[in-house]
Amino acid sequence: MVEHFVWVTTRRIKPGALEEFERAWRPDTYPQALRRAYAYWSEDGQEITGVSFWDTKEACDSWRASAAETQRRDAMAPYIVEEREGFYRGRELGLGHT
């Protein structure tokens, strides 16, 4: 059974700011320890949930403390109304489909 290390961030953004937010949101470079990343938008385009999979919690923490991530978060800040985030450990559920 493979364990995953996952960082989840949900942001509510200002109305009409989706395009600008998306430009600020994408990092210039991606950390090597990042394995996969997904983004999910609400129908109204005002809430975005990002899910990233990491090699380890320490690798995620290191990226979050980096200058590149600080710059990215500063660039996003003018478009964010609210933000919730957290780190999780978990595994894929076997659904039993054949």
Side-chain angles (χ1 to χ4, degrees):
M1 190 175 326
V2 176
E3 185 173 64
H4 298 281
F5 302 95
V6 182
W7 184 260
V8 178
T9 306
T10 299
R11 296 176 176 99
R12 180 154 290 282
I13 61 172
K14 294 178 180 178
L18 180 59
E19 195 172 309
E20 294 89 352
F21 173 80
E22 284 183 304
R23 275 196 292 272
W25 187 32
R26 291 196 177 272
D28 292 330
T29 60
Y30 292 90
Q32 287 186 346
L34 176 63
R35 293 295 151 226
R36 291 186 305 273
Y38 299 89
Y40 303 97
W41 292 264
S42 62
E43 285 188 39
D44 65 5
Q46 292 182 7
E47 188 170 280
I48 299 172
T49 297
V51 181
S52 57
F53 292 78
W54 296 84
D55 286 342
T56 64
K57 181 179 188 313
E58 292 77 20
C60 179
D61 289 344
S62 178
W63 168 253
R64 297 202 29 83
S66 72
E69 176 63 356
T70 298
Q71 289 175 338
R72 190 178 78 90
R73 291 170 85 62
D74 288 348
M76 289 186 291
Y79 311 109
I80 296 173
V81 174
E82 177 186 358
E83 182 175 88
R84 296 177 314 278
E85 52 192 14
F87 189 84
Y88 303 88
R89 290 174 33 180
R91 57 184 156 59
E92 184 175 358
L93 299 176
L95 301 179
H97 295 156
T98 57

